[in-house]
Amino acid sequence: QVQLVESGGGLVQAGGSLRLSCQASGRTFSSSAVGWSVGWFRQSPGKEREFVSAISWSAWSAGDTYYADSVKGRFTISRDLAKNTVYLQMNNLQPEDTALYYCAALLGRRRTVVANTYDYWGQGTQVTVSS
C-alpha cells in the first residue's frame, strides 16, 4: 500500500508560482524495479477531474514526463526519490488553474492520462489563483 500526501497549495495572484509536493509513505517510490507512474490531476467545482501532468520511470529508464496542453510550458513535474516525493512546479498561474489538485500513483512505468488507471490517490491540495 502507498499513502500519498499533497502539500504546497494556497492562494496566489495571477502570474505567481506555487510548488506542489506529493510525498509517498508505506511503499517507497524506489522500492520496485518496475518503477512507478505518478500523475497530477485537478478538479474544479462542477467539472470533471482532468489530467495535468505525470512522470513515469523504472529501474531501466529515466523519468518520462508529459503534460496537458493547457499547462505545457508553465508547469514542470519532477521527482526526488531520496525524499520519496514528486513535485509540480507551477509558474505563471492563471485563474483558470484554480482547482483542487490531486496526486495519484500506479506501480509500473506506464504513460497514461486516465484517472481511473491510477491505484493510489491523495486527499488533494487547494490552489486558488486570483485575477
Side-chain angles (χ1 to χ4, degrees):
Q1 277 292 79
V2 174
Q3 292 78 45
L4 302 175
V5 177
E6 304 96 334
S7 61
L11 173 64
V12 65
Q13 287 189 331
S17 298
L18 287 172
R19 188 177 78 157
L20 305 184
S21 299
C22 172
Q23 184 163 36
S25 62
R27 195 169 181 180
T28 67
F29 284 147
S30 56
S31 65
S32 173
V34 300
W36 289 88
S37 302
V38 178
W40 286 95
F41 292 79
R42 66 187 182 187
Q43 189 167 21
S44 303
K47 293 188 177 181
E48 297 281 325
R49 189 170 297 190
E50 65 170 347
F51 170 78
V52 175
S53 179
I55 183 168
S56 58
W57 67 89
S58 71
W60 307 282
S61 67
D64 176 26
T65 62
Y66 43 108
Y67 302 89
D69 287 343
S70 59
V71 307
K72 216 171 277 185
R74 299 189 298 126
F75 291 11
T76 302
I77 192 169
S78 62
R79 60 180 173 134
D80 185 335
L81 295 183
K83 295 183 178 179
N84 216 27
T85 300
V86 169
Y87 301 99
L88 185 69
Q89 177 67 43
M90 306 186 297
N91 297 329
N92 191 23
L93 283 160
Q94 300 300 314
E96 53 267 32
D97 295 315
T98 295
L100 187 61
Y101 283 70
Y102 298 91
C103 75
L106 66 91
L107 183 63
R109 181 172 178 262
R110 180 178 175 183
R111 189 180 180 96
T112 174
V113 303
V114 179
N116 64 15
T117 60
Y118 289 81
D119 298 313
Y120 306 102
W121 288 83
Q123 294 301 306
T125 185
Q126 179 66 39
V127 171
T128 303
V129 185
S130 63
S131 57

